């Protein structure tokens, strides 16, 4: 394989021959020279290629921003500041043009509009409309590299710690969260049925029963954790929630570790150790991209990550957290939503807990059972469950998890109380019938992790093609 620009930039310039392949970012001309900056996405930095004006290069070739090129030359020390090396170019081949102006169709040639990514800075909203081209910008190139490296870091962390990677199903008949926010999967012709005034008969559907896209791989991961001790899943999950926020997607990637013989305390320790490992790797291995985010997206992201890596996460039971919130709510105008015992924490509450109470990441535990999923282990008070949410400043919830109910009777009770049928979860209940053991796990929203590390404000900008309410372009 030929070297990428990042490999070439790592070489010491000794006039060796190099070939650059990539897309033109900018072109400048001086009296004697032509400068073409080429980027191939392998790193934030592109490489400057300098041509003698007198050379035969590109007299008749129009080189615009966005064009793909192949440039041959020698790698030499750069006299310019901000770069160690540049290419003293001898030849240039235009591979694919990118017109700077609209070009009407002629002689059977199709019409081509001007390349939409011109040199100026574009708004993130505009770039969302051209998501198929936005990876060619500095911001989205950096996000893509960060995503890739962090996905790998996640596998590294778990593989190094004895977790086996389990591929849990995407299509499922069970609602893992019991929240009913699922996308249905069917091959029935619902339109034809409706026209004939018939109701769908799901026994005739593809799977012989109603099926959905999974909201979480947890339940299936539990079946493997109670066989292999430590497992994790990492895959796409789907939620048909109508939440149009900067932290929710309808399709997102979730990392879900699950450990047998582990209690909530072990789960909290795992979450903290895992996040610190991943943040640390980002700081070390994505330094250039992080410096870009720090300079152009969110001032201070690097410092925040460093401080989290060196901090000790605060642990606070829900009941104490609500007490803190109620105290603060006594001052008029602190919150839009009044906090009370039993309420789901709103993002403003999460923000307050991380930024004002703890001054860093907080793990809130032991939530009221009414606001948490059926599988969470009941505390002795019979009111709260062994849940944990990891909250981080700026973003709020990044991880949600719990110790699982390992007692058969109690779990049946919770399933029934949640309005579901125990027989639908028979296979899940078997884990409590045969060789039950305390076990725990959590889910980390991968996009929220990337948001936190990069400082990107909108979750739609940290996944290549966001799916959200009313949005499934590309
Ligand atoms: O808190 P959640 O719903 O927990 C579960 O799904 C558990 N089954 C996880 C487990 O214990 N194995 O989701 C876990 C995390 C959240 O903390 C959040 O980071 C992310 O997934 N998340 C979302 N990310 C983007 N868009 C959404 N709609 C999300 N919903 C949850
Ligand atoms: Mg949650």
């Amino acid at each position: 394989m030929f070297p990428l620009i990042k490999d070439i930039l790592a070489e010491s310039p000794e006039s060796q021959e190099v070939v650059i392949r990539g897309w033109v970012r900018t072109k400048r001309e001086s009296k004697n020279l032509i400068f073409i900056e080429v980027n191939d996405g392998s790193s934030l930095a592109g490489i400057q290629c300098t041509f003698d004006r007198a050379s035969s290069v590109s007299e008749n070739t129009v080189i615009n921003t966005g064009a793909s090129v192949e440039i041959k030359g020698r790698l030499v020390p750069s006299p310019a500041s901000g770069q160690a090396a540049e290419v003293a170019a001898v030849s240039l081949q235009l591979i694919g043009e990118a017109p700077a102006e609209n070009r009407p169709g002629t002689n059977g040639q199709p019409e081509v509009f001007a390349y939409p990514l011109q040199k100026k800075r574009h708004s993130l909203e505009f770039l969302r409309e051209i998501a198929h081209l936005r990876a060619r910008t500095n911001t989205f190139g950096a996000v893509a590299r960060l995503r890739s490296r962090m996905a790998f870091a996640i596998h590294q962390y778990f593989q190094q710690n004895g977790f086996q990677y389990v591929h849990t199903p995407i299509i499922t008949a069970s609602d893992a969260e019991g929240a009913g926010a699922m996308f249905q999967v069917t091959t029935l012709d619902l339109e034809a049925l409706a026209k004939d005034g018939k109701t769908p008969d799901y026994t005739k559907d593809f799977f012989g029963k109603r099926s959905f896209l999974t909201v979480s791989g947890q339940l299936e991961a539990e079946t493997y954790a109670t066989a292999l001790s430590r497992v994790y899943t990492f895959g796409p999950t789907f939620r048909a929630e109508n939440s149009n926020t900067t932290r929710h997607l309808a399709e997102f990637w979730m990392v879900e570790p699950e450990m047998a013989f582990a209690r909530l305390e072990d789960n909290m320790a795992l979450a903290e150790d895992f996040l610190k490992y991943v943040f640390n790797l980002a700081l070390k291995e994505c330094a250039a991209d992080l410096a870009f985010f720090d300079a152009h997206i969110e001032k201070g992201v690097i410092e925040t990550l460093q401080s989290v890596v060196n901090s000790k996460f605060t642990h606070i039971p829900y009941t104490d957290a609500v007490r803190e919130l109620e105290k603060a709510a006594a001052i008029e105008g602190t919150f839009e939503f009044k906090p009370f015992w039993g309420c789901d924490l709103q993002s403003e509450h999460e923000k307050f807990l991380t930024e004002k109470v703890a001054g860093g990441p907080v793990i809130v535990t032991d939530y009221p059972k009414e606001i948490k999923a059926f599988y969470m282990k009941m505390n002795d008070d019979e009111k709260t469950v062994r849940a944990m949410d990891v909250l981080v400043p700026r973003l709020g919830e990044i991880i949600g998890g719990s110790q699982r109910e390992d007692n058969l009777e109690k779990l049946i009770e919770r399933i029934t109380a949640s309005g579901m049928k125990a027989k639908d979860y028979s296979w899940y209940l078997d884990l409590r019938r045969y060789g039950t053991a305390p076990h725990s796990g959590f889910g980390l929203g991968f996009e929220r992790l990337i948001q936190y590390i990069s400082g990107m404000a909108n979750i739609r900008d940290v996944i290549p093609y966001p799916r959200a309410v009313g949005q499934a372009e590309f």
Side-chain angles (χ1 to χ4, degrees):
M1 269 179 288
F2 61 84
L4 295 165
I5 290 176
K6 86 166 162 43
D7 306 319
I8 293 169
L9 287 171
E11 291 178 31
S12 80
E14 286 158 7
S15 252
Q16 65 272 44
E17 282 184 14
V18 289
V19 182
I20 306 297
R21 300 173 180 90
W23 294 267
V24 173
R25 280 294 175 83
T26 57
K27 186 179 136 198
R28 286 186 300 118
E29 298 184 32
S30 72
K31 205 157 129 244
N32 304 317
L33 296 168
I34 302 171
F35 304 96
I36 297 180
E37 172 88 13
V38 180
N39 185 289
D40 69 356
S42 60
S43 60
L44 183 72
I47 197 159
Q48 177 164 287
C49 303
T50 309
F51 295 87
D52 236 318
R53 237 185 201 301
S55 75
S56 64
V57 165
S58 74
E59 252 153 45
N60 303 310
T61 338
V62 185
I63 301 294
N64 290 322
T65 295
S68 52
V69 292
E70 182 176 296
I71 293 173
K72 293 191 174 131
R74 291 181 181 282
L75 192 68
V76 296
S78 176
S81 70
Q83 56 192 28
E86 62 178 45
V87 176
V90 293
S91 76
L92 178 147
Q93 191 191 347
L94 173 66
I95 312 252
E97 57 169 2
E101 275 152 30
N102 291 350
R103 201 173 54 202
T106 44
N107 305 332
Q109 295 282 321
E111 174 181 30
V112 178
F113 292 113
Y115 181 57
L117 291 173
Q118 290 308 322
K119 211 182 136 186
K120 67 173 183 135
R121 218 161 151 183
H122 299 285
S123 75
L124 295 172
E125 290 74 22
F126 169 73
L127 292 174
R128 231 170 274 150
E129 287 167 23
I130 51 162
H132 59 302
L133 295 172
R134 68 179 178 171
R136 297 186 189 189
T137 63
N138 281 337
T139 304
F140 288 90
V143 168
R145 284 183 296 273
L146 180 66
R147 252 189 99 97
S148 169
R149 189 61 189 86
M150 292 301 98
F152 183 44
I154 285 164
H155 284 294
Q156 280 179 307
Y157 179 83
F158 288 118
Q159 297 283 338
Q160 283 163 17
N161 286 287
F163 289 75
Q164 311 282 342
Y165 181 28
V166 179
H167 300 94
T168 51
I170 302 286
I171 299 175
T172 175
S174 11
D175 184 350
E177 290 299 299
M182 302 179 88
F183 289 101
Q184 192 173 334
V185 177
T186 182
T187 50
L188 293 177
D189 190 342
L190 299 177
E191 221 170 292
L193 287 170
K195 225 190 293 166
D196 299 342
K198 289 190 190 134
T199 51
D201 175 2
Y202 289 107
T203 62
K204 298 214 173 73
D205 202 352
F206 190 92
F207 300 105
K209 56 161 89 169
R210 266 187 105 170
S211 305
F212 306 90
L213 293 178
T214 191
V215 292
S216 154
Q218 179 197 320
L219 305 193
E220 291 89 350
E222 282 183 55
T223 68
Y224 271 67
T226 50
L228 305 180
S229 294
R230 284 183 213 159
V231 301
Y232 69 105
T233 72
F234 185 9
T237 49
F238 307 87
R239 305 248 167 130
E241 303 159 339
N242 201 348
S243 17
N244 209 342
T245 79
T246 55
R247 324 186 294 162
H248 289 89
L249 288 168
E251 176 180 300
F252 64 99
W253 284 66
M254 188 153 49
V255 184
E256 297 182 274
E258 192 72 33
M259 296 182 286
F261 306 104
R263 298 188 160 76
L264 192 68
E265 291 67 26
D266 308 302
N267 209 20
M268 289 195 275
L270 177 71
E272 179 168 344
D273 190 53
F274 165 63
L275 284 178
K276 287 179 176 174
Y277 175 88
V278 172
F279 291 161
N280 213 1
L281 248 163
L283 287 165
K284 284 210 187 90
E285 308 253 321
C286 305
D289 289 322
L290 255 54
F292 172 83
F293 292 127
D294 204 296
H296 299 285
I297 300 294
E298 170 85 28
K299 193 102 224 77
V301 271
I302 291 181
E303 209 188 309
T304 307
L305 290 177
Q306 279 161 343
S307 79
V308 170
V309 168
N310 297 317
S311 72
K312 178 99 198 65
F313 289 16
T314 303
H315 296 182
I316 183 169
Y318 171 90
T319 302
D320 295 354
V322 168
R323 207 170 293 138
E324 291 288 341
L325 294 171
E326 281 173 335
K327 251 194 274 167
I331 300 161
E332 193 64 39
T334 312
F335 300 122
E336 187 184 337
F337 298 94
K338 194 171 150 26
F340 58 93
W341 199 94
C343 77
D344 220 344
L345 299 184
Q346 301 290 331
S347 23
E348 56 175 353
H349 302 149
E350 295 178 345
K351 217 172 144 61
F352 185 86
L353 291 172
T354 53
E355 290 167 16
K356 298 284 186 309
V357 177
V362 183
I363 310 187
V364 181
T365 61
D366 305 288
Y367 284 75
K369 63 175 195 279
E370 288 78 13
I371 56 171
K372 287 292 177 187
F374 66 92
Y375 52 69
M376 298 191 181
K377 186 165 182 62
M378 186 70 76
N379 277 314
D380 292 339
D381 63 10
E382 304 271 329
K383 285 194 199 114
T384 57
V385 289
R386 301 248 74 193
M388 63 169 216
D389 276 6
V390 181
L391 316 178
V392 289
R394 215 177 61 228
L395 188 71
E397 179 190 341
I398 191 163
I399 281 179
S402 69
Q403 184 170 338
R404 318 308 188 187
E405 184 55 79
D406 53 343
N407 176 287
L408 180 64
E409 290 73 40
K410 286 190 181 163
L411 184 55
I412 293 176
E413 213 177 286
R414 289 280 287 140
I415 289 178
T416 320
S418 313
M420 303 184 301
K421 294 193 191 82
K423 82 168 179 14
D424 292 342
Y425 290 86
S426 182
W427 59 272
Y428 184 64
L429 290 165
D430 268 355
L431 307 180
R432 282 76 180 167
R433 292 187 183 109
Y434 311 120
T436 192
H439 61 286
S440 301
F442 62 77
L444 163 84
F446 186 55
E447 285 72 23
R448 296 222 183 145
L449 176 83
I450 302 299
Q451 261 191 293
Y452 191 65
I453 297 174
S454 64
M456 295 291 286
N458 194 322
I459 198 165
R460 290 170 173 83
D461 296 331
V462 294
I463 188 165
Y465 297 104
R467 271 79 181 95
V469 190
Q471 187 179 26
E473 288 309 311
F474 307 101

